[in-house]
Amino acid sequence: MKSYDVAVIGSGPGGYVAAIRCAQLGMKTAIIEKYATKGGTCLNVGCIPSKALLDSSHHYEDAVKHFEEHGIDIPGEIKVNLENMMKRKDSVVEQTTKGIDFLMDKNKIDSYQGVGSFKSKTEVVITPDEGDEETIEAKHIIIATGSKPRSLPGIEIDKERIITSTEALSLKEIPKHLILIGGGVIGLELGQVYRRLGAEVTVLEYMDRIIPTMDKAMSKEMRKVMKKMGMDLKLSHEVQSVNRNDNEVVVKAKDKKGNEIEVKGDYCLVSVGRVPFTKGLNPDKAGVEVNDRGQVKVNEKLQTTAENIYAIGDVIQGAMLAHKAEEEGTFVAEVIAGQKPHIDYNLIPNVVYTWPEVASVGKTEEQLKEEGANYKVGEFPMKALGRSRASGDIAGLVKIIADKDTDEVLGVHMIGARTADLIAEAVTAMEFRASAEDIARMSHAHPTYAEAVKEAALAATDNRALHI
Ligand code: FAD
Ligand code: NAD
């Protein structure tokens, strides 16, 4: 039997990063992945393919709607070639997942294809797609088995017309009318892709706002953008049933007053969150406990109820984000190596990759209100920036919330062009416990979208924004 210092089960952003860090720290490491390609949800059916389609559909929208105003005339009709768009997306995924194989080899990590199941606290049985089972032994094991889409009671996902994000990333035709259940991050990102490509899009959201976990100001601004795009947003609607008759899907929902509505379309994407995945893992055989939400239970060191076994990423509590899983991968490797790493979960940024992008870090205004915090707010609209006018991306704003007494930045929320990248400045500032005035006094290149961060910081400091 092959023996390792560490075996990692699952090769998503949590698992493969954990494996690399373990190898960097001198541990003999194995990684076990049930699929033939590594990279997990994120690289295969999540972050990467969704961003590829967001980018392609954005180019199409620009060509149809905005090229003319920039003085670019395209003779003839501009058409979508969905097959080619999907092929490009597949090739981006292929290149990215191959990159993980390269990284495993480079770091001398042994790769196993197959479902990993605990036999004991230190032994994992690997069942490959083809060939014989194999058992390996490891002193430490890291569970990084991720998550899968959640459905609703009574709704059967048929993967053809009633679909999850996985199928929505590989459709063979542009839906005529796509009905989205859930106005969270997947709903908005994939809804925007197909709206740009010409689908009618209806969003049925249970809460009274879209992206309900983000700061209310972001939901409000995003709602305006989505409405302008022609999306039909039905908020405060609870879905009752989804039925299919041939190529038609019929969704019934109730509003808060109990009035029932019926929406008919040709595809229904169920995007109401994801659930942890431990099928086939047999955690009980290793003494690893799972809570009633299906999450592997961990302590502050991300150690499970079996002390040599750790768990990270979507399969444990917390935000289901690739970069959260990555941080935890590094964290656990360092804990196993006897180091004392730290993760500040308050400073894990959250991004929605629509256009405009939405990005946030730290506390929302609603959270601070609930905590009874003494805070102040500075806001700056993107439309007041020269850079935004030059590109035509005038929607959005930056909102900085700071402590009223100490001026320490408590939360930064932004919607606008390239805010997915701009949020890194806010994370850095908050990691160093910057005040709003610290940001306000730093030089920001002109003309950039980043100037909105400086201006919002000026507004928060002393109502001193310069360009509004
Ligand atoms: P996963 O990536 O789910 O990887 C788990 C791996 O474990 C899988 O490959 C699985 O096959 C394997 N596995 C499971 N059980 C076993 C077993 N018993 N044996 C062997 N292997 C096993 N997050 C972001 O931060 N940014 C984004 O832009 C973003 N976009 C997304 C878009 C979509 C459409 C979706 C669905 C998700 C998106 N996410 C995004 C979320 C992100 O994909 C996840 O948070 C991230 O992949 C979690 O990483 P993980 O390593 O915990 O698990
Ligand atoms: P989500 O939690 O973002 O959104 C789910 C939405 O569905 C919520 O707004 C919720 O109120 C609504 N909902 C729940 N039950 C409902 C019902 N019965 N009827 C109508 N609406 C209902 O989940 P998601 O969009 O499915 O995404 C899953 C996970 O994947 C998220 O945790 C997210 O972090 C991750 N993800 C991240 C990114 C990114 O970082 N850009 C992109 C895609 C996915």
Side-chain angles (χ1 to χ4, degrees):
M1 190 173 8
K2 277 216 168 160
S3 193
Y4 293 92
D5 293 319
V6 183
V8 183
I9 309 178
S11 72
Y16 84 74
V17 167
I20 294 174
R21 189 71 188 117
C22 285
Q24 283 178 345
L25 290 164
M27 292 180 256
K28 190 176 175 206
T29 308
I31 191 160
I32 305 157
E33 170 54 54
K34 75 172 175 169
Y35 289 118
T37 52
K38 295 191 184 69
T41 305
C42 177
L43 274 64
N44 291 282
V45 289
C47 326
I48 300 303
S50 59
K51 267 79 258 181
L53 291 182
L54 275 158
D55 285 339
S56 297
S57 59
H58 198 173
H59 286 312
Y60 172 69
E61 184 185 46
D62 275 347
V64 172
K65 293 194 179 154
H66 304 299
F67 274 16
E68 211 177 323
E69 77 198 57
H70 285 273
I72 305 164
D73 291 335
I74 299 186
E77 195 189 344
I78 303 166
K79 282 194 206 155
V80 177
N81 183 332
L82 190 66
E83 199 183 332
N84 280 354
M85 199 178 275
M86 292 294 176
K87 268 191 201 153
R88 176 189 177 273
K89 178 262 305 173
D90 291 339
S91 102
V92 171
V93 168
E94 197 188 329
Q95 286 163 37
T96 318
T97 56
K98 276 194 179 144
I100 306 299
D101 288 326
F102 164 80
L103 292 173
M104 295 301 104
D105 291 345
K106 185 184 159 211
N107 287 283
K108 302 193 171 39
I109 295 161
D110 283 355
S111 292
Y112 292 88
Q113 188 275 316
V115 176
S117 312
F118 284 105
K119 189 173 172 189
S120 70
K121 278 187 185 3
T122 52
E123 290 164 301
V124 181
V125 180
I126 302 160
T127 312
D129 289 345
E130 284 167 19
D132 297 335
E133 267 184 18
E134 189 175 352
T135 302
I136 61 166
E137 176 182 66
K139 284 190 211 122
H140 305 277
I141 297 171
I142 301 173
I143 302 172
T145 50
S147 63
K148 63 168 184 161
R150 178 169 92 89
S151 186
L152 292 170
I155 296 180
E156 200 188 319
I157 307 281
D158 67 14
K159 298 193 178 182
E160 288 174 4
R161 299 265 162 195
I162 305 170
I163 58 176
T164 69
S165 53
T166 303
E167 296 76 47
L169 290 167
S170 292
L171 289 183
K172 301 248 177 316
E173 60 177 357
I174 298 164
K176 290 181 192 68
H177 184 183
L178 175 64
I179 304 165
L180 294 164
I181 307 181
V185 60
I186 292 182
L188 295 193
E189 288 184 1
L190 293 179
Q192 194 172 56
V193 165
Y194 286 108
R195 178 69 199 136
R196 284 170 177 160
L197 300 182
E200 194 185 327
V201 176
T202 301
V203 180
L204 292 160
E205 166 56 50
Y206 179 73
M207 304 293 281
D208 61 359
R209 59 192 178 103
I210 51 173
I211 42 170
T213 50
M214 288 187 129
D215 191 279
K216 235 180 198 169
M218 302 298 109
S219 302
K220 203 172 147 200
E221 189 73 10
M222 199 59 190
R223 190 175 170 184
K224 280 193 234 160
V225 173
M226 293 292 164
K227 274 185 134 176
K228 203 170 162 200
M229 276 193 86
M231 284 212 202
D232 186 4
L233 303 178
K234 297 194 187 305
L235 305 178
S236 303
H237 275 79
E238 188 175 12
V239 170
Q240 307 292 310
S241 64
V242 181
N243 288 301
R244 179 177 167 185
N245 313 313
D246 293 327
N247 291 342
E248 186 182 66
V249 283
V250 183
V251 182
K252 286 189 178 153
K254 266 190 187 156
D255 68 12
K256 286 271 147 76
K257 289 181 191 145
N259 303 317
E260 194 170 273
I261 59 156
E262 192 178 87
V263 188
K264 288 181 181 170
D266 51 348
Y267 287 89
C268 173
L269 166 55
V270 182
S271 49
V272 292
R274 295 177 62 86
V275 286
F277 184 81
T278 50
K279 200 174 151 199
L281 186 67
N282 290 339
D284 45 316
K285 289 205 177 157
V288 171
E289 287 175 23
V290 171
N291 69 19
D292 53 8
R293 300 177 68 189
Q295 295 162 332
V296 174
K297 283 191 202 170
V298 288
N299 63 16
E300 68 292 343
K301 283 187 183 164
L302 305 185
Q303 203 169 25
T304 68
T305 44
E307 65 173 15
N308 66 316
I309 303 174
Y310 296 78
I312 57 173
D314 282 11
V315 79
I316 63 167
Q317 83 257 336
M320 287 185 169
L321 296 172
H323 45 286
K324 179 253 191 192
E326 290 187 30
E327 292 308 326
E328 291 179 339
T330 299
F331 177 95
V332 158
E334 292 177 354
V335 167
I336 293 172
Q339 299 182 0
K340 290 194 168 60
H342 173 71
I343 298 175
D344 185 345
Y345 284 97
N346 183 44
L347 297 187
I348 304 265
N350 229 312
V351 174
V352 188
Y353 294 82
T354 44
W355 197 265
E357 293 170 334
V358 194
S360 88
V361 63
K363 300 273 172 74
T364 63
E365 188 169 354
E366 292 71 48
Q367 283 171 324
L368 291 168
K369 240 182 223 157
E370 214 178 291
E371 288 172 14
N374 198 14
Y375 65 87
K376 53 185 180 167
V377 175
E379 286 185 0
F380 190 80
M382 290 292 185
K383 66 173 180 247
L385 292 176
R387 186 72 191 87
S388 298
R389 280 196 305 279
S391 69
D393 295 300
I394 54 170
L397 72 148
V398 174
K399 170 173 175 175
I400 294 186
I401 313 176
D403 187 289
K404 208 167 194 169
D405 302 319
T406 65
D407 198 32
E408 180 174 351
V409 178
L410 303 175
V412 179
H413 310 280
M414 36 176 95
I415 172 166
R418 299 193 199 156
T419 56
D421 296 293
L422 293 190
I423 201 68
E425 176 184 1
V427 177
T428 310
M430 289 177 72
E431 275 287 355
F432 287 91
R433 301 197 60 182
S435 64
E437 190 174 0
D438 286 332
I439 300 177
R441 288 193 178 277
M442 285 191 280
S443 174
H444 287 66
H446 174 77
T448 57
Y449 302 109
E451 285 173 289
V453 179
K454 180 188 172 91
E455 290 277 3
L458 277 167
T461 304
D462 213 2
N463 210 8
R464 277 171 41 202
L466 294 163
H467 291 88
I468 191 151

